[in-house]
Tab-separated table of all heavy atoms in Angstrom:
chain	number	residue	atom	x	y	z
A	6	THR	N	6.575	-24.893	1.744
A	6	THR	CA	6.345	-23.715	0.901
A	6	THR	C	6.804	-22.445	1.594
A	6	THR	O	7.522	-21.623	1.010
A	6	THR	CB	4.852	-23.603	0.540
A	6	THR	OG1	4.471	-24.737	-0.237
A	6	THR	CG2	4.568	-22.331	-0.250
A	9	TYR	N	10.526	-22.245	1.938
A	9	TYR	CA	11.137	-21.886	0.651
A	9	TYR	C	11.025	-20.380	0.409
A	9	TYR	O	12.012	-19.720	0.069
A	9	TYR	CB	10.444	-22.660	-0.476
A	9	TYR	CG	10.872	-22.241	-1.858
A	9	TYR	CD1	12.125	-22.589	-2.359
A	9	TYR	CD2	10.010	-21.499	-2.676
A	9	TYR	CE1	12.523	-22.204	-3.638
A	9	TYR	CE2	10.402	-21.110	-3.956
A	9	TYR	CZ	11.657	-21.474	-4.430
A	9	TYR	OH	12.037	-21.074	-5.688
A	43	VAL	N	-3.547	-3.227	-14.971
A	43	VAL	CA	-3.396	-1.836	-14.553
A	43	VAL	C	-2.188	-1.814	-13.622
A	43	VAL	O	-2.135	-2.542	-12.635
A	43	VAL	CB	-4.647	-1.310	-13.824
A	43	VAL	CG1	-4.392	0.084	-13.250
A	43	VAL	CG2	-5.837	-1.288	-14.772
A	49	ASN	N	3.079	6.724	-1.681
A	49	ASN	CA	1.921	6.529	-0.801
A	49	ASN	C	0.656	6.420	-1.649
A	49	ASN	O	0.554	7.033	-2.712
A	49	ASN	CB	1.769	7.713	0.168
A	49	ASN	CG	2.950	7.829	1.105
A	49	ASN	OD1	3.304	6.882	1.789
A	49	ASN	ND2	3.581	9.006	1.130
A	69	VAL	N	-11.240	-10.157	-10.799
A	69	VAL	CA	-10.157	-9.195	-10.625
A	69	VAL	C	-9.047	-9.759	-9.744
A	69	VAL	O	-9.273	-10.109	-8.582
A	69	VAL	CB	-10.697	-7.887	-9.999
A	69	VAL	CG1	-9.563	-6.887	-9.816
A	69	VAL	CG2	-11.802	-7.301	-10.867
A	139	GLY	N	6.639	-3.078	-6.137
A	139	GLY	CA	7.264	-3.321	-4.837
A	139	GLY	C	8.016	-2.084	-4.389
A	139	GLY	O	7.663	-1.429	-3.420
A	175	GLN	N	14.386	12.566	-8.660
A	175	GLN	CA	15.037	11.262	-8.863
A	175	GLN	C	14.074	10.125	-8.534
A	175	GLN	O	13.982	9.129	-9.265
A	175	GLN	CB	16.291	11.159	-7.993
A	175	GLN	CG	17.443	12.025	-8.457
A	175	GLN	CD	18.621	11.973	-7.499
A	175	GLN	OE1	18.454	11.769	-6.296
A	175	GLN	NE2	19.826	12.167	-8.033
A	221	GLU	N	-10.735	21.292	-9.205
A	221	GLU	CA	-11.797	22.308	-9.244
A	221	GLU	C	-13.176	21.665	-9.404
A	221	GLU	O	-14.201	22.306	-9.137
A	221	GLU	CB	-11.551	23.311	-10.373
A	221	GLU	CG	-11.530	22.713	-11.759
A	221	GLU	CD	-10.156	22.266	-12.213
A	221	GLU	OE1	-9.286	22.026	-11.344
A	221	GLU	OE2	-9.948	22.160	-13.447
A	273	SER	N	-20.121	1.564	-13.922
A	273	SER	CA	-20.918	2.787	-13.779
A	273	SER	C	-20.534	3.553	-12.522
A	273	SER	O	-19.964	2.995	-11.573
A	273	SER	CB	-22.406	2.441	-13.733
A	273	SER	OG	-22.723	1.770	-12.522
A	287	PRO	N	-6.636	-2.410	5.347
A	287	PRO	CA	-6.047	-2.558	6.685
A	287	PRO	C	-4.819	-1.669	6.871
A	287	PRO	O	-4.003	-1.504	5.959
A	287	PRO	CB	-5.657	-4.047	6.731
A	287	PRO	CG	-6.560	-4.710	5.755
A	287	PRO	CD	-6.762	-3.705	4.647
A	297	PRO	N	-12.933	3.239	23.614
A	297	PRO	CA	-12.366	4.497	23.124
A	297	PRO	C	-11.905	4.343	21.676
A	297	PRO	O	-11.662	3.235	21.208
A	297	PRO	CB	-11.191	4.738	24.062
A	297	PRO	CG	-10.761	3.367	24.475
A	297	PRO	CD	-12.020	2.566	24.578
A	309	GLY	N	3.419	10.339	4.469
A	309	GLY	CA	2.421	9.529	5.158
A	309	GLY	C	2.171	9.995	6.577
A	309	GLY	O	1.030	10.063	7.040
A	316	LEU	N	-4.755	14.602	9.913
A	316	LEU	CA	-6.018	13.956	10.266
A	316	LEU	C	-6.279	14.034	11.769
A	316	LEU	O	-7.383	14.379	12.203
A	316	LEU	CB	-5.983	12.489	9.814
A	316	LEU	CG	-7.173	11.615	10.218
A	316	LEU	CD1	-8.451	12.109	9.557
A	316	LEU	CD2	-6.912	10.166	9.836
A	346	GLN	N	3.959	16.781	17.123
A	346	GLN	CA	3.018	17.904	17.096
A	346	GLN	C	1.587	17.460	17.414
A	346	GLN	O	0.767	18.270	17.844
A	346	GLN	CB	3.036	18.553	15.714
A	346	GLN	CG	4.400	18.998	15.232
A	346	GLN	CD	4.382	19.408	13.771
A	346	GLN	OE1	3.399	19.977	13.279
A	346	GLN	NE2	5.447	19.127	13.047
A	353	CYS	N	6.877	4.390	23.194
A	353	CYS	CA	7.703	3.857	22.118
A	353	CYS	C	7.885	2.351	22.300
A	353	CYS	O	8.152	1.883	23.414
A	353	CYS	CB	9.056	4.551	22.098
A	353	CYS	SG	8.965	6.317	21.685
A	360	HIS	N	13.975	-5.591	13.228
A	360	HIS	CA	14.590	-4.444	12.554
A	360	HIS	C	14.008	-3.104	13.022
A	360	HIS	O	14.207	-2.081	12.368
A	360	HIS	CB	14.433	-4.578	11.042
A	360	HIS	CG	15.062	-5.822	10.478
A	360	HIS	ND1	16.421	-6.058	10.539
A	360	HIS	CD2	14.515	-6.906	9.878
A	360	HIS	CE1	16.688	-7.229	9.987
A	360	HIS	NE2	15.549	-7.761	9.576
A	368	VAL	N	12.714	7.393	21.739
A	368	VAL	CA	12.358	8.382	22.768
A	368	VAL	C	13.145	9.673	22.548
A	368	VAL	O	12.606	10.782	22.631
A	368	VAL	CB	12.624	7.823	24.183
A	368	VAL	CG1	12.627	8.947	25.220
A	368	VAL	CG2	11.582	6.783	24.553
A	376	GLN	N	5.568	13.694	28.148
A	376	GLN	CA	4.881	12.462	28.521
A	376	GLN	C	5.252	11.345	27.546
A	376	GLN	O	4.508	11.030	26.632
A	376	GLN	CB	3.371	12.685	28.534
A	376	GLN	CG	2.931	13.733	29.564
A	376	GLN	CD	1.419	13.742	29.746
A	376	GLN	OE1	0.821	12.742	30.114
A	376	GLN	NE2	0.815	14.884	29.490
A	398	GLY	N	-9.981	10.482	25.539
A	398	GLY	CA	-9.137	10.739	24.387
A	398	GLY	C	-9.174	9.605	23.376
A	398	GLY	O	-10.116	8.803	23.343
Side-chain angles (χ1 to χ4, degrees):
T6 297
Y9 173 73
V43 173
N49 296 306
V69 180
Q175 288 175 331
E221 61 270 22
S273 69
L316 174 64
Q346 305 170 35
C353 294
H360 301 297
V368 164
Q376 298 191 59

